[in-house]
Amino acid sequence: MALFETAQTNFRRRLTRAIALPFILMLALSGILFLQLNHLLSVTRWVDHTDRVIAQANYTQRLLLDMESGIRGYLVTGNPSFLAPYQASSLLIDPAFNDLRSLISDNPRQIQRLKELRAIYEQWNRYAPSQIARKQRSGDYQFSVFNTRRHLMDAMRVQLASFIETEEVLRDVRTDTAQKTTQLTIGSTLGLTVGLGSLLALFTNRQLIAVAKTYKHALAIAQEQTEALRRSAQRLEALHQIDRAILAAHSPAEVVRAALSRMQRLVPCQQAFVVLFHFETGIAHVIAGTVNGDFPFPEGATLQIDEFLPGFVLGQQRSYSVENATINRCPPAIKRMGEGQSNCMTIPLRVEENLLGELILSATEPTTFNPEHQEIAREVADQLAIAMQQAELREQLEQYNAQLEQRVSDRTVQLQEANAELEAFAYSVSHDLRAPLRAMQGFSSALLEDYGDSFDVIGQDYAQRIVTAAQRMDILIQDLLDYSRLSRTEIRLQPIHLEAVVIEVLAQLEPEVRQKQVQVAVESPLPQVVGHRTTLIQVLTNLLNNAMKFIAPGVQPQVRVWAEVRERGEAEEQGIVETRVETRAIASIAEESESHQPSANSQLWVRLWIEDNGIGIAPEHQQRIFRVFERLHGIESYPGTGIGLAIVRKGLERMGGYAGVESQANQGSRFWIDLPKARDEC
């Protein structure tokens, strides 16, 4: 990158020079041309100045001649009209002398000559007014004065001629200088243009050649850097593939094979393998490798550690590295890798300075492993070290999980055996209690029949209470036996015609229906469900019996039975399940496998409703009524053992169903049970 920046700097410097030099040369040429043109203009201005001096001198001379000719004409002819030129020129002659004086201010010689000319003029002009006045007064003029003035005029003519001649000579000199300056300016301009153009072309050519070289050098550097980036991208991609291969592998050997097979695409080696060290036993374990040709160490081979590690490493278990060494300098095991191997590289596998093993590479060509290869090998070794450690930790975790699962399984078996023994004991006790209870019930009935007349009213009441208590105790024991039997009985789930079951239950309850004049409405048809027929009959018997029993005095019982098909979870989405009491059964795996039940997420369920117009259940009691021996009313008001709804819950648990209730006090109740819909009805 530094070389590329240096090339860029040189390129910018040369490009700046190529742009700046023409600009500087143009400025220099423009300055020289400006000076030459300024000099040429100055020379030209002096030529023009001389012309103006000559013209002013001629103008002054013409004024003097007009003045002389006017006076002379008037003096000779006496005609006043001849005085007009004199008078007009007299007004202009002084400004003419002043202008001429200002034009020759840079020439002292001409100034002196002009002073002399003006002195002659002033002398000449002093005679003019007296001559004009004499002519006007007497009609003649003074001839001697006339001659004097003529001589003065001649002197002025000579002076002006010399003055003009001097200016003409000066004009010729300045004109010649202007011509030479013009020629010099043109020649120098052409010479400078050609010279600077040649210099600029030469410099531009050299700069362009230098810029081309710089650009070529920068391009070469960019290509080298692009190639380096491409190799770096390939290397990162290969390392990423190694990471993915390591993550996808399930055993240490698969991890090593996957990593080394991909590493050999970047590092040219003929043999590569990984060994792990067990310092407690002094054994080195060959995990896996990739080789071209014969390999002396098969996977799973065990060797002594000192065949791989130098002696100074064994005692301290510290990290070391032997890179790009000849095969003769490697440990003994490396020398056994085969003939033709002349170079080896050994990279330690370490995690937080803990030496786990080695990654060993060998090649047939000397100095095969350049710094880039060594760096790639170290990165792969670091990844393998972490993978090996994770694999070891995973194996330990799996062992711990297996041990834990075995302990849980053993405890579960023990708990099931204890529950079975407890249930068997409860069943046996309940069953055995019925014998003395029947004896007590029989003897108390016989006592009333045989000796009832001998008792007074109080005695007969006591005897009757004994009979009633014995009967109630018998019913309670029978309910406990039914509840216990539900847990002990092996049930097999199968499709059941729900409508036939309801009709059978109502037939069993026919005497009670007739006695209480219950109005029962069953909304047919009722779908098929998956369940256990006997258990379902027991569940429905308890629910219908409750619907007919918990009725307010003087109210004719009305029971309505209907069913609906729904997907499990619909009720929960409606947000009404929190007001219900719901029980969930966990059927045994064996039962589920034989029950033809699809998963709960995709199965249709049948909800059977049993609605009554009874006394209802307050929401705060709805959690209790499905427990054993839970009663909301005294036995004098509504007789019962408090086990009926517990049997309902237990029966639904065994069949893998649900049960619940929706009710309000004094507004009746709606009990429901959910069972999977039989598949042939879907």
Side-chain angles (χ1 to χ4, degrees):
M1 186 59 72
L3 292 176
F4 186 72
E5 292 178 353
T6 302
Q8 285 184 327
T9 303
N10 292 333
F11 180 79
R12 286 195 295 269
R13 185 182 298 119
R14 293 186 181 279
L15 186 62
T16 303
R17 290 176 182 174
I19 295 174
L21 183 62
F23 180 72
I24 294 173
L25 292 178
M26 289 299 295
L27 288 178
L29 181 60
S30 299
I32 294 172
L33 290 177
F34 174 76
L35 294 176
Q36 289 180 342
L37 289 176
N38 190 32
H39 180 63
L40 179 61
L41 290 175
S42 176
V43 172
T44 305
R45 279 197 299 273
W46 281 113
V47 174
D48 182 66
H49 178 75
T50 306
D51 290 339
R52 290 174 58 193
V53 171
I54 293 173
Q56 187 66 25
N58 290 328
Y59 173 68
T60 304
Q61 184 178 16
R62 185 172 56 81
L63 292 175
L64 292 173
L65 290 175
D66 289 343
M67 292 175 66
E68 174 63 20
S69 59
I71 292 175
R72 183 176 295 179
Y74 177 71
L75 292 178
V76 174
T77 61
N79 188 359
S81 61
F82 284 100
L83 289 176
Y86 168 75
Q87 292 173 348
S89 297
S90 296
L91 298 175
L92 300 176
I93 190 64
D94 286 337
F97 274 116
N98 293 333
D99 291 341
L100 186 61
R101 173 67 177 81
S102 64
L103 288 174
I104 62 172
S105 59
D106 59 327
N107 192 339
R109 180 182 177 188
Q110 290 294 76
I111 292 174
Q112 182 62 34
R113 185 172 289 166
L114 183 61
K115 288 181 179 179
E116 294 175 356
L117 176 62
R118 190 155 187 172
I120 296 171
Y121 162 72
E122 291 176 352
Q123 184 180 0
W124 173 81
N125 195 35
R126 281 199 300 269
Y127 295 108
S130 61
Q131 290 293 321
I132 294 171
R134 183 181 183 126
K135 183 65 178 183
Q136 291 175 349
R137 184 172 61 249
S138 61
D140 58 356
Y141 60 89
Q142 192 175 3
F143 186 75
S144 58
V145 175
F146 184 84
N147 287 333
T148 301
R149 290 190 69 248
R150 185 173 57 82
H151 290 303
L152 292 174
M153 177 56 67
D154 291 340
M156 284 192 294
R157 286 179 178 174
V158 172
Q159 198 72 13
L160 280 173
S162 299
F163 185 90
I164 294 172
E165 184 180 2
T166 301
E167 290 297 329
E168 287 178 348
V169 172
L170 185 59
R171 184 185 60 184
D172 293 339
V173 173
R174 288 176 175 174
T175 301
D176 183 63
T177 303
Q179 291 177 350
K180 292 181 179 178
T181 302
T182 302
Q183 293 175 355
L184 180 60
T185 301
I186 295 172
S188 62
T189 302
L190 291 176
L192 286 174
T193 303
V194 173
L196 293 178
S198 300
L199 178 62
L200 180 62
L202 178 61
F203 178 78
T204 304
N205 182 52
R206 292 184 61 182
Q207 292 298 320
L208 289 177
I209 293 174
V211 168
K213 291 181 178 178
T214 303
Y215 178 76
K216 184 178 180 181
H217 181 61
L219 182 62
I221 294 174
Q223 289 177 347
E224 291 178 358
Q225 292 182 348
T226 302
E227 180 64 21
L229 290 175
R230 187 183 63 79
R231 291 199 303 271
S232 177
Q234 290 179 347
R235 173 179 162 188
L236 291 176
E237 176 61 22
L239 293 175
H240 182 59
Q241 291 180 357
I242 292 174
D243 286 340
R244 289 190 296 182
I246 290 175
L247 293 175
H250 298 288
S251 66
E254 292 179 353
V255 169
V256 172
R257 282 194 292 270
L260 296 186
S261 62
R262 286 166 176 79
M263 185 196 68
Q264 284 186 308
R265 300 173 186 174
L266 302 175
V267 179
C269 61
Q270 280 67 46
Q271 296 183 353
F273 65 99
V274 170
V275 293
L276 294 182
F277 302 142
H278 301 280
F279 291 98
E280 296 80 5
T281 59
I283 297 298
H285 183 202
V286 179
I287 300 300
T290 58
V291 297
N292 298 327
D294 297 333
F295 186 59
F297 310 117
E299 291 186 8
T302 56
L303 296 90
Q304 296 297 320
I305 291 181
D306 55 5
E307 293 194 47
F308 290 95
L309 289 178
F312 67 90
V313 177
L314 290 176
Q316 303 177 1
Q317 299 184 15
R318 69 184 196 182
S319 299
Y320 83 105
S321 179
V322 178
E323 297 172 355
N324 219 20
T326 59
I327 202 74
N328 294 327
R329 295 168 52 192
C330 292
I334 308 303
K335 298 177 182 177
R336 294 164 49 193
M337 292 174 63
E339 296 181 355
Q341 305 298 315
S342 59
N343 197 11
C344 74
M345 181 165 59
T346 302
I347 307 297
L349 305 179
R350 58 173 179 259
V351 177
E352 296 179 353
E353 300 302 327
N354 294 323
L355 183 60
L356 304 180
E358 284 183 345
L359 167 61
I360 301 172
L361 309 177
S362 69
T364 57
E365 298 294 333
T367 64
T368 298
F369 307 119
N370 58 30
E372 183 178 2
H373 297 154
Q374 297 173 22
E375 185 176 356
I376 293 173
R378 280 195 292 271
E379 292 178 356
V380 174
D382 292 340
Q383 293 173 329
L384 283 174
I386 295 174
M388 292 295 103
Q389 189 183 46
Q390 290 179 345
E392 183 179 357
L393 293 176
R394 186 166 54 249
E395 289 180 354
Q396 292 179 358
L397 183 60
E398 290 175 355
Q399 292 178 358
Y400 292 152
N401 286 335
Q403 294 175 359
L404 183 60
E405 290 178 357
Q406 183 61 39
R407 292 175 62 183
V408 171
S409 178
D410 295 342
R411 294 288 178 84
T412 302
V413 171
Q414 294 174 1
L415 184 60
Q416 289 175 348
E417 292 175 355
N419 287 336
E421 292 176 357
L422 182 60
E423 289 176 356
F425 175 75
Y427 181 81
S428 177
V429 169
S430 300
H431 187 271
D432 293 343
L433 283 176
R434 298 193 69 185
L437 184 62
R438 290 195 189 95
M440 184 175 63
Q441 184 179 1
F443 282 113
S444 60
S445 299
L447 182 63
L448 282 174
E449 291 176 358
D450 297 340
Y451 303 99
D453 297 338
S454 302
F455 294 160
D456 55 7
V457 176
I458 296 175
Q460 291 180 356
D461 181 61
Y462 287 165
Q464 186 60 42
R465 289 191 181 191
I466 293 173
V467 173
T468 303
Q471 292 175 346
R472 191 182 308 140
M473 188 65 182
D474 184 63
I475 295 172
L476 178 60
I477 293 174
Q478 182 60 43
D479 287 344
L480 285 174
L481 288 173
D482 293 341
Y483 183 80
S484 178
R485 191 178 294 110
L486 274 177
S487 302
R488 295 165 51 84
T489 303
E490 187 71 24
I491 64 175
R492 183 180 183 84
L493 301 181
Q494 58 186 358
I496 300 172
H497 290 281
L498 186 58
E499 187 168 348
V501 173
V502 172
I503 293 174
E504 182 177 345
V505 172
L506 290 175
Q508 293 178 2
L509 298 175
E510 176 63 23
E512 190 170 359
V513 171
R514 187 181 307 110
Q515 178 186 1
K516 296 182 179 179
Q517 298 180 352
V518 180
Q519 294 181 354
V520 180
V522 179
E523 298 180 2
S524 300
L526 300 179
Q528 284 190 347
V529 297
V530 176
H532 184 254
R533 181 179 179 81
T534 304
T535 303
L536 184 57
I537 289 174
Q538 194 173 4
V539 168
L540 293 180
T541 300
N542 283 280
L543 291 176
L544 289 171
N545 196 18
N546 283 348
M548 293 184 292
K549 181 170 64 177
F550 294 99
I551 301 296
V555 177
Q556 182 181 11
Q558 295 179 354
V559 179
R560 178 186 172 215
V561 180
W562 79 97
E564 60 184 8
V565 179
R566 58 167 58 187
E567 291 186 358
R568 186 63 187 169
E570 181 179 349
E572 288 81 353
E573 294 175 359
Q574 294 171 357
I576 60 176
V577 72
E578 293 182 356
T579 62
R580 302 170 181 164
V581 175
E582 180 175 314
T583 60
R584 172 70 171 98
I586 303 176
S588 66
I589 297 177
E591 290 170 351
E592 286 195 2
S593 62
E594 297 174 354
S595 63
H596 310 287
Q597 295 181 23
S599 64
N601 294 331
S602 60
Q603 184 180 7
L604 293 177
W605 290 70
V606 174
R607 173 161 291 188
L608 180 67
W609 292 90
I610 300 173
E611 183 183 64
D612 61 54
N613 60 341
I615 59 177
I617 306 168
E620 61 270 20
H621 300 313
Q622 293 176 5
Q623 298 286 340
R624 298 169 45 199
I625 59 176
F626 287 90
R627 302 172 186 168
V628 180
F629 300 131
E630 287 289 346
R631 294 178 54 84
L632 303 181
H633 310 282
I635 193 170
E636 296 80 9
S637 303
Y638 298 100
T641 61
I643 303 178
L645 290 179
I647 292 175
V648 171
R649 185 193 65 178
K650 177 64 71 176
L652 268 298
E653 286 180 357
R654 297 300 308 277
M655 291 187 291
Y658 304 85
V661 62
E662 296 176 3
S663 180
Q664 292 292 333
N666 301 321
Q667 295 182 9
S669 302
R670 294 200 309 171
F671 284 86
W672 56 265
I673 61 172
D674 278 354
L675 286 172
K677 189 175 184 298
R679 184 169 298 175
D680 55 350
E681 290 290 326
C682 295

